[in-house]
Amino acid sequence: MSLLEVKDLKKHFPIKSGVLRRTTGHVYAVDGVSFAIEEGETLGLVGESGCGKSTTGRVILRLLPATGGAVTFDGQDVMSASHAEMQRLRRDMQIIFQDPYSSLNPRMKVNNIVGESLRIHRIGTDKERRARVAELLETVGLTVEQGERYPHEFSGGQRQRIGVARALALNPRLIVADEPVSALDVSIQAQMINLLEDLQSRLKLTYLVIAHDLSVVKHISDRVVVMYLGKVVEIADSSLLYERPQHPYTEALLSAVPIPDPRTERARRRIILEGDVPSPANPPKGCVFHPRCARMQPDPCTVAMPKLESTVGQDAGVDHKVACYFPTRYAADGTATANAPV
């Protein structure tokens, strides 16, 4: 059994207008997302800004109420858990927020920020909590003396380390890392990624890494989930997804990743998507990607959203799923072949 199972998860935000604030529509931020994470695994969740990645992570942790679907953590239903049950679950499920500037209380010292969850859950005595906080600060590369400072006295990378220490305080099993390096300088990003990988191996952690930087996801993730407009369009092993993407949206994303070798960069075919991302308040009928897809056929692409199904052929036995009527196929030598309806 997987540590975390997400089935048909939905989050629709109501659109209210008029004097009486009546609901006139909905924003379909997350619309039927399903995936699973094995214990000790790192799952990357990628997509353009506004595709519903962060909302998915927050709904999984019940920081936002779900509109529908199910989330199961180690066999326990998260969506129907009572307040007391959710309090216990939060010890095992923590989050690293995207913005290291706004996610820390500027009026609290670092010691109090990191140790707040220990106090809320009534873990240990005051002396034991202080020792635990000191241990956490050293674990993430900070000093005990820095615990007496306020967040504004730290750099962006140091603030993110504080956020990591706070997430580790309760010895969680699952950490949702929401864009953990997007607000950091490139030189600091590598340090943070290495820290997360080191902590995972030492503490046996499971990660859900939400990001739009595909190079970061490739480096840290075991499997990758690709989202577009609130839906999952492809799931695959990290190396397989980068070598043999099957969904046209995934191919376009990967073609935009910079390559250090200029000779390879010049030889690569850059895929430019036409048009803009549709509004999640008025998603297109059929496949949500069809207005921007070069393979689009009126039937079936505009009729119904394709199911997320496992591929066959050369990838048989590999957990590679794609939601596309005309996915890219690959020959035995790795070259792409003509698209055919499935």
Side-chain angles (χ1 to χ4, degrees), residues 27-57:
V27 175
Y28 300 92
V30 180
D31 197 23
V33 168
S34 299
F35 58 82
I37 309 178
E38 303 299 323
E39 189 158 12
E41 181 185 31
T42 298
L43 182 71
L45 186 59
V46 303
E48 291 175 296
S49 297
C51 72
K53 306 185 301 296
S54 296
T55 302
T56 299

PDB file of all heavy atoms in Angstrom, residues 27-57:
ATOM      1  N   VAL A  27     -14.053  28.424 -10.257  1.00  0.00           N
ATOM      2  CA  VAL A  27     -12.696  28.281 -10.784  1.00  0.00           C
ATOM      3  C   VAL A  27     -12.273  26.846 -10.506  1.00  0.00           C
ATOM      4  O   VAL A  27     -12.151  26.434  -9.348  1.00  0.00           O
ATOM      5  CB  VAL A  27     -11.722  29.272 -10.121  1.00  0.00           C
ATOM      6  CG1 VAL A  27     -10.295  28.997 -10.603  1.00  0.00           C
ATOM      7  CG2 VAL A  27     -12.117  30.705 -10.429  1.00  0.00           C
ATOM      8  N   TYR A  28     -12.039  26.092 -11.575  1.00  0.00           N
ATOM      9  CA  TYR A  28     -11.711  24.675 -11.440  1.00  0.00           C
ATOM     10  C   TYR A  28     -10.192  24.526 -11.268  1.00  0.00           C
ATOM     11  O   TYR A  28      -9.488  24.097 -12.177  1.00  0.00           O
ATOM     12  CB  TYR A  28     -12.213  23.907 -12.654  1.00  0.00           C
ATOM     13  CG  TYR A  28     -13.715  24.013 -12.833  1.00  0.00           C
ATOM     14  CD1 TYR A  28     -14.273  25.018 -13.640  1.00  0.00           C
ATOM     15  CD2 TYR A  28     -14.579  23.145 -12.192  1.00  0.00           C
ATOM     16  CE1 TYR A  28     -15.645  25.131 -13.797  1.00  0.00           C
ATOM     17  CE2 TYR A  28     -15.957  23.246 -12.334  1.00  0.00           C
ATOM     18  CZ  TYR A  28     -16.484  24.247 -13.136  1.00  0.00           C
ATOM     19  OH  TYR A  28     -17.843  24.368 -13.282  1.00  0.00           O
ATOM     20  N   ALA A  29      -9.709  24.879 -10.070  1.00  0.00           N
ATOM     21  CA  ALA A  29      -8.268  24.888  -9.817  1.00  0.00           C
ATOM     22  C   ALA A  29      -7.667  23.491  -9.865  1.00  0.00           C
ATOM     23  O   ALA A  29      -6.587  23.273 -10.430  1.00  0.00           O
ATOM     24  CB  ALA A  29      -7.988  25.539  -8.461  1.00  0.00           C
ATOM     25  N   VAL A  30      -8.341  22.541  -9.238  1.00  0.00           N
ATOM     26  CA  VAL A  30      -7.937  21.130  -9.268  1.00  0.00           C
ATOM     27  C   VAL A  30      -9.171  20.340  -9.656  1.00  0.00           C
ATOM     28  O   VAL A  30     -10.207  20.452  -8.999  1.00  0.00           O
ATOM     29  CB  VAL A  30      -7.394  20.661  -7.901  1.00  0.00           C
ATOM     30  CG1 VAL A  30      -6.994  19.196  -7.957  1.00  0.00           C
ATOM     31  CG2 VAL A  30      -6.219  21.527  -7.472  1.00  0.00           C
ATOM     32  N   ASP A  31      -9.059  19.532 -10.717  1.00  0.00           N
ATOM     33  CA  ASP A  31     -10.264  18.912 -11.266  1.00  0.00           C
ATOM     34  C   ASP A  31     -10.023  17.446 -11.624  1.00  0.00           C
ATOM     35  O   ASP A  31      -9.826  17.094 -12.777  1.00  0.00           O
ATOM     36  CB  ASP A  31     -10.711  19.690 -12.510  1.00  0.00           C
ATOM     37  CG  ASP A  31     -12.147  19.383 -12.899  1.00  0.00           C
ATOM     38  OD1 ASP A  31     -12.931  18.955 -12.042  1.00  0.00           O
ATOM     39  OD2 ASP A  31     -12.480  19.578 -14.078  1.00  0.00           O
ATOM     40  N   GLY A  32     -10.000  16.596 -10.595  1.00  0.00           N
ATOM     41  CA  GLY A  32      -9.869  15.162 -10.829  1.00  0.00           C
ATOM     42  C   GLY A  32      -8.440  14.665 -10.863  1.00  0.00           C
ATOM     43  O   GLY A  32      -8.078  13.885 -11.749  1.00  0.00           O
ATOM     44  N   VAL A  33      -7.628  15.065  -9.890  1.00  0.00           N
ATOM     45  CA  VAL A  33      -6.218  14.672  -9.841  1.00  0.00           C
ATOM     46  C   VAL A  33      -6.075  13.366  -9.069  1.00  0.00           C
ATOM     47  O   VAL A  33      -6.638  13.213  -7.983  1.00  0.00           O
ATOM     48  CB  VAL A  33      -5.372  15.776  -9.182  1.00  0.00           C
ATOM     49  CG1 VAL A  33      -3.974  15.269  -8.862  1.00  0.00           C
ATOM     50  CG2 VAL A  33      -5.299  16.993 -10.088  1.00  0.00           C
ATOM     51  N   SER A  34      -5.312  12.429  -9.628  1.00  0.00           N
ATOM     52  CA  SER A  34      -5.073  11.135  -8.979  1.00  0.00           C
ATOM     53  C   SER A  34      -3.602  10.751  -9.130  1.00  0.00           C
ATOM     54  O   SER A  34      -3.044  10.847 -10.218  1.00  0.00           O
ATOM     55  CB  SER A  34      -5.949  10.036  -9.595  1.00  0.00           C
ATOM     56  OG  SER A  34      -7.326  10.321  -9.446  1.00  0.00           O
ATOM     57  N   PHE A  35      -2.988  10.327  -8.031  1.00  0.00           N
ATOM     58  CA  PHE A  35      -1.636   9.777  -8.044  1.00  0.00           C
ATOM     59  C   PHE A  35      -1.370   9.137  -6.684  1.00  0.00           C
ATOM     60  O   PHE A  35      -2.173   9.258  -5.755  1.00  0.00           O
ATOM     61  CB  PHE A  35      -0.570  10.841  -8.359  1.00  0.00           C
ATOM     62  CG  PHE A  35      -0.552  12.007  -7.413  1.00  0.00           C
ATOM     63  CD1 PHE A  35       0.098  11.940  -6.195  1.00  0.00           C
ATOM     64  CD2 PHE A  35      -1.176  13.207  -7.760  1.00  0.00           C
ATOM     65  CE1 PHE A  35       0.127  13.025  -5.320  1.00  0.00           C
ATOM     66  CE2 PHE A  35      -1.163  14.297  -6.892  1.00  0.00           C
ATOM     67  CZ  PHE A  35      -0.512  14.199  -5.678  1.00  0.00           C
ATOM     68  N   ALA A  36      -0.249   8.456  -6.573  1.00  0.00           N
ATOM     69  CA  ALA A  36       0.141   7.810  -5.318  1.00  0.00           C
ATOM     70  C   ALA A  36       1.633   8.021  -5.102  1.00  0.00           C
ATOM     71  O   ALA A  36       2.401   8.164  -6.060  1.00  0.00           O
ATOM     72  CB  ALA A  36      -0.194   6.328  -5.344  1.00  0.00           C
ATOM     73  N   ILE A  37       2.035   8.036  -3.842  1.00  0.00           N
ATOM     74  CA  ILE A  37       3.446   8.197  -3.481  1.00  0.00           C
ATOM     75  C   ILE A  37       3.835   7.052  -2.554  1.00  0.00           C
ATOM     76  O   ILE A  37       3.178   6.821  -1.528  1.00  0.00           O
ATOM     77  CB  ILE A  37       3.725   9.543  -2.780  1.00  0.00           C
ATOM     78  CG1 ILE A  37       3.156  10.712  -3.593  1.00  0.00           C
ATOM     79  CG2 ILE A  37       5.220   9.731  -2.558  1.00  0.00           C
ATOM     80  CD1 ILE A  37       3.360  12.066  -2.927  1.00  0.00           C
ATOM     81  N   GLU A  38       4.888   6.340  -2.915  1.00  0.00           N
ATOM     82  CA  GLU A  38       5.383   5.255  -2.080  1.00  0.00           C
ATOM     83  C   GLU A  38       6.266   5.817  -0.965  1.00  0.00           C
ATOM     84  O   GLU A  38       6.840   6.900  -1.091  1.00  0.00           O
ATOM     85  CB  GLU A  38       6.196   4.261  -2.920  1.00  0.00           C
ATOM     86  CG  GLU A  38       5.440   3.673  -4.101  1.00  0.00           C
ATOM     87  CD  GLU A  38       4.214   2.896  -3.683  1.00  0.00           C
ATOM     88  OE1 GLU A  38       4.283   2.218  -2.630  1.00  0.00           O
ATOM     89  OE2 GLU A  38       3.196   2.958  -4.392  1.00  0.00           O
ATOM     90  N   GLU A  39       6.371   5.086   0.127  1.00  0.00           N
ATOM     91  CA  GLU A  39       7.190   5.549   1.246  1.00  0.00           C
ATOM     92  C   GLU A  39       8.654   5.626   0.827  1.00  0.00           C
ATOM     93  O   GLU A  39       9.196   4.712   0.205  1.00  0.00           O
ATOM     94  CB  GLU A  39       7.029   4.608   2.443  1.00  0.00           C
ATOM     95  CG  GLU A  39       7.662   5.139   3.700  1.00  0.00           C
ATOM     96  CD  GLU A  39       7.080   4.533   4.961  1.00  0.00           C
ATOM     97  OE1 GLU A  39       6.336   3.545   4.872  1.00  0.00           O
ATOM     98  OE2 GLU A  39       7.362   5.067   6.053  1.00  0.00           O
ATOM     99  N   GLY A  40       9.301   6.738   1.164  1.00  0.00           N
ATOM    100  CA  GLY A  40      10.696   6.960   0.806  1.00  0.00           C
ATOM    101  C   GLY A  40      10.905   7.510  -0.583  1.00  0.00           C
ATOM    102  O   GLY A  40      12.045   7.755  -0.991  1.00  0.00           O
ATOM    103  N   GLU A  41       9.829   7.744  -1.322  1.00  0.00           N
ATOM    104  CA  GLU A  41       9.914   8.218  -2.702  1.00  0.00           C
ATOM    105  C   GLU A  41       9.833   9.740  -2.756  1.00  0.00           C
ATOM    106  O   GLU A  41       9.290  10.385  -1.861  1.00  0.00           O
ATOM    107  CB  GLU A  41       8.772   7.610  -3.520  1.00  0.00           C
ATOM    108  CG  GLU A  41       8.761   8.005  -4.991  1.00  0.00           C
ATOM    109  CD  GLU A  41       7.553   7.480  -5.729  1.00  0.00           C
ATOM    110  OE1 GLU A  41       6.475   7.337  -5.118  1.00  0.00           O
ATOM    111  OE2 GLU A  41       7.682   7.217  -6.942  1.00  0.00           O
ATOM    112  N   THR A  42      10.386  10.303  -3.819  1.00  0.00           N
ATOM    113  CA  THR A  42      10.211  11.720  -4.114  1.00  0.00           C
ATOM    114  C   THR A  42       9.410  11.845  -5.395  1.00  0.00           C
ATOM    115  O   THR A  42       9.849  11.391  -6.458  1.00  0.00           O
ATOM    116  CB  THR A  42      11.561  12.434  -4.282  1.00  0.00           C
ATOM    117  OG1 THR A  42      12.299  12.353  -3.066  1.00  0.00           O
ATOM    118  CG2 THR A  42      11.355  13.905  -4.630  1.00  0.00           C
ATOM    119  N   LEU A  43       8.223  12.434  -5.294  1.00  0.00           N
ATOM    120  CA  LEU A  43       7.357  12.636  -6.461  1.00  0.00           C
ATOM    121  C   LEU A  43       7.362  14.104  -6.826  1.00  0.00           C
ATOM    122  O   LEU A  43       7.074  14.977  -5.990  1.00  0.00           O
ATOM    123  CB  LEU A  43       5.927  12.177  -6.149  1.00  0.00           C
ATOM    124  CG  LEU A  43       4.932  12.293  -7.312  1.00  0.00           C
ATOM    125  CD1 LEU A  43       5.247  11.241  -8.374  1.00  0.00           C
ATOM    126  CD2 LEU A  43       3.493  12.123  -6.821  1.00  0.00           C
ATOM    127  N   GLY A  44       7.708  14.412  -8.063  1.00  0.00           N
ATOM    128  CA  GLY A  44       7.692  15.791  -8.541  1.00  0.00           C
ATOM    129  C   GLY A  44       6.353  16.125  -9.168  1.00  0.00           C
ATOM    130  O   GLY A  44       5.792  15.314  -9.915  1.00  0.00           O
ATOM    131  N   LEU A  45       5.839  17.311  -8.868  1.00  0.00           N
ATOM    132  CA  LEU A  45       4.576  17.785  -9.439  1.00  0.00           C
ATOM    133  C   LEU A  45       4.882  19.066 -10.198  1.00  0.00           C
ATOM    134  O   LEU A  45       5.239  20.086  -9.597  1.00  0.00           O
ATOM    135  CB  LEU A  45       3.564  18.043  -8.323  1.00  0.00           C
ATOM    136  CG  LEU A  45       2.130  18.416  -8.727  1.00  0.00           C
ATOM    137  CD1 LEU A  45       1.512  17.323  -9.581  1.00  0.00           C
ATOM    138  CD2 LEU A  45       1.276  18.659  -7.490  1.00  0.00           C
ATOM    139  N   VAL A  46       4.760  19.026 -11.529  1.00  0.00           N
ATOM    140  CA  VAL A  46       5.214  20.141 -12.358  1.00  0.00           C
ATOM    141  C   VAL A  46       4.081  20.641 -13.251  1.00  0.00           C
ATOM    142  O   VAL A  46       3.073  19.973 -13.468  1.00  0.00           O
ATOM    143  CB  VAL A  46       6.421  19.738 -13.234  1.00  0.00           C
ATOM    144  CG1 VAL A  46       7.565  19.233 -12.378  1.00  0.00           C
ATOM    145  CG2 VAL A  46       6.024  18.688 -14.262  1.00  0.00           C
ATOM    146  N   GLY A  47       4.299  21.849 -13.785  1.00  0.00           N
ATOM    147  CA  GLY A  47       3.337  22.472 -14.688  1.00  0.00           C
ATOM    148  C   GLY A  47       3.518  23.973 -14.676  1.00  0.00           C
ATOM    149  O   GLY A  47       4.265  24.529 -13.862  1.00  0.00           O
ATOM    150  N   GLU A  48       2.835  24.648 -15.588  1.00  0.00           N
ATOM    151  CA  GLU A  48       2.910  26.101 -15.656  1.00  0.00           C
ATOM    152  C   GLU A  48       2.286  26.736 -14.418  1.00  0.00           C
ATOM    153  O   GLU A  48       1.497  26.116 -13.704  1.00  0.00           O
ATOM    154  CB  GLU A  48       2.183  26.601 -16.909  1.00  0.00           C
ATOM    155  CG  GLU A  48       2.869  26.263 -18.212  1.00  0.00           C
ATOM    156  CD  GLU A  48       2.038  26.672 -19.410  1.00  0.00           C
ATOM    157  OE1 GLU A  48       0.940  26.121 -19.584  1.00  0.00           O
ATOM    158  OE2 GLU A  48       2.488  27.536 -20.177  1.00  0.00           O
ATOM    159  N   SER A  49       2.613  27.991 -14.183  1.00  0.00           N
ATOM    160  CA  SER A  49       1.988  28.721 -13.086  1.00  0.00           C
ATOM    161  C   SER A  49       0.481  28.789 -13.303  1.00  0.00           C
ATOM    162  O   SER A  49       0.017  29.079 -14.408  1.00  0.00           O
ATOM    163  CB  SER A  49       2.564  30.144 -13.005  1.00  0.00           C
ATOM    164  OG  SER A  49       3.941  30.112 -12.709  1.00  0.00           O
ATOM    165  N   GLY A  50      -0.269  28.508 -12.248  1.00  0.00           N
ATOM    166  CA  GLY A  50      -1.717  28.556 -12.328  1.00  0.00           C
ATOM    167  C   GLY A  50      -2.369  27.245 -12.718  1.00  0.00           C
ATOM    168  O   GLY A  50      -3.589  27.190 -12.892  1.00  0.00           O
ATOM    169  N   CYS A  51      -1.575  26.161 -12.824  1.00  0.00           N
ATOM    170  CA  CYS A  51      -2.160  24.881 -13.237  1.00  0.00           C
ATOM    171  C   CYS A  51      -2.771  24.110 -12.075  1.00  0.00           C
ATOM    172  O   CYS A  51      -3.412  23.081 -12.287  1.00  0.00           O
ATOM    173  CB  CYS A  51      -1.131  24.023 -13.951  1.00  0.00           C
ATOM    174  SG  CYS A  51       0.136  23.328 -12.871  1.00  0.00           S
ATOM    175  N   GLY A  52      -2.575  24.569 -10.832  1.00  0.00           N
ATOM    176  CA  GLY A  52      -3.186  23.921  -9.681  1.00  0.00           C
ATOM    177  C   GLY A  52      -2.237  23.113  -8.822  1.00  0.00           C
ATOM    178  O   GLY A  52      -2.675  22.375  -7.940  1.00  0.00           O
ATOM    179  N   LYS A  53      -0.920  23.275  -9.019  1.00  0.00           N
ATOM    180  CA  LYS A  53       0.064  22.482  -8.268  1.00  0.00           C
ATOM    181  C   LYS A  53       0.002  22.786  -6.769  1.00  0.00           C
ATOM    182  O   LYS A  53      -0.155  21.878  -5.947  1.00  0.00           O
ATOM    183  CB  LYS A  53       1.480  22.763  -8.781  1.00  0.00           C
ATOM    184  CG  LYS A  53       1.687  22.572 -10.260  1.00  0.00           C
ATOM    185  CD  LYS A  53       3.138  22.751 -10.639  1.00  0.00           C
ATOM    186  CE  LYS A  53       3.704  24.123 -10.283  1.00  0.00           C
ATOM    187  NZ  LYS A  53       3.048  25.224 -11.006  1.00  0.00           N
ATOM    188  N   SER A  54       0.151  24.057  -6.413  1.00  0.00           N
ATOM    189  CA  SER A  54       0.172  24.433  -5.000  1.00  0.00           C
ATOM    190  C   SER A  54      -1.167  24.154  -4.327  1.00  0.00           C
ATOM    191  O   SER A  54      -1.214  23.723  -3.168  1.00  0.00           O
ATOM    192  CB  SER A  54       0.531  25.919  -4.848  1.00  0.00           C
ATOM    193  OG  SER A  54       1.846  26.172  -5.304  1.00  0.00           O
ATOM    194  N   THR A  55      -2.248  24.381  -5.050  1.00  0.00           N
ATOM    195  CA  THR A  55      -3.571  24.093  -4.497  1.00  0.00           C
ATOM    196  C   THR A  55      -3.705  22.609  -4.190  1.00  0.00           C
ATOM    197  O   THR A  55      -4.259  22.223  -3.154  1.00  0.00           O
ATOM    198  CB  THR A  55      -4.672  24.536  -5.473  1.00  0.00           C
ATOM    199  OG1 THR A  55      -4.526  25.931  -5.748  1.00  0.00           O
ATOM    200  CG2 THR A  55      -6.050  24.282  -4.887  1.00  0.00           C
ATOM    201  N   THR A  56      -3.181  21.762  -5.063  1.00  0.00           N
ATOM    202  CA  THR A  56      -3.213  20.324  -4.823  1.00  0.00           C
ATOM    203  C   THR A  56      -2.490  19.975  -3.523  1.00  0.00           C
ATOM    204  O   THR A  56      -3.010  19.203  -2.702  1.00  0.00           O
ATOM    205  CB  THR A  56      -2.564  19.567  -6.000  1.00  0.00           C
ATOM    206  OG1 THR A  56      -3.302  19.832  -7.199  1.00  0.00           O
ATOM    207  CG2 THR A  56      -2.529  18.079  -5.741  1.00  0.00           C
ATOM    208  N   GLY A  57      -1.304  20.535  -3.327  1.00  0.00           N
ATOM    209  CA  GLY A  57      -0.553  20.258  -2.105  1.00  0.00           C
ATOM    210  C   GLY A  57      -1.275  20.717  -0.861  1.00  0.00           C
ATOM    211  O   GLY A  57      -1.297  20.011   0.161  1.00  0.00           O
TER     212      GLY A  57
END
